[in-house]
């Protein structure tokens, strides 16, 4: 299993439809491989939502977010 360096978990966040702020925090996960799997599942469940997988301010992955 791939773990994260540093003292911060990876978080999955669902953003407001306009992209201006986080609507809710869906998960905090310490294992990066597991975080990717949970993110992929969250995307399938909330396909139309804006989502990020982040560690602190670093975006690891995003769904439907502008570049």
């Amino acid at each position: 299993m791939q773990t994260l360096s540093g003292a911060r978990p990876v978080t999955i966040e669902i953003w407001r439809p306009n992209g201006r702020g986080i609507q809710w925090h869906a998960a905090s996960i310490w294992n990066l491989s597991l975080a990717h799997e949970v993110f992929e599942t969250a995307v399938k469940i909330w396909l139309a939502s804006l989502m990020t997988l982040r560690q602190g301010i670093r975006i690891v992955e995003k769904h439907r977010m502008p570049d």
Side-chain angles (χ1 to χ4, degrees), residues 28-48:
S28 292
I29 303 167
W30 290 91
N31 179 281
L32 187 55
S33 298
L34 180 59
H36 279 288
E37 294 294 326
V38 173
F39 184 77
E40 288 178 20
T41 301
V43 166
K44 290 176 186 175
I45 294 170
W46 297 290
L47 187 59

Side-chain angles (χ1 to χ4, degrees), residues 4-66:
L4 299 169
S5 60
R8 292 183 183 260
V10 174
T11 58
I12 297 173
E13 297 156 334
I14 312 297
W15 290 70
R16 290 187 176 100
N18 62 10
R20 296 181 184 242
I22 297 166
Q23 184 171 352
W24 60 284
H25 173 89
S28 292
I29 303 167
W30 290 91
N31 179 281
L32 187 55
S33 298
L34 180 59
H36 279 288
E37 294 294 326
V38 173
F39 184 77
E40 288 178 20
T41 301
V43 166
K44 290 176 186 175
I45 294 170
W46 297 290
L47 187 59
S49 297
L50 307 173
M51 281 185 243
T52 53
L53 179 66
R54 295 191 309 152
Q55 183 183 27
I57 62 169
R58 182 177 76 97
I59 295 177
V60 177
E61 194 170 339
K62 58 186 174 180
H63 173 71
R64 297 182 46 101
M65 298 290 289

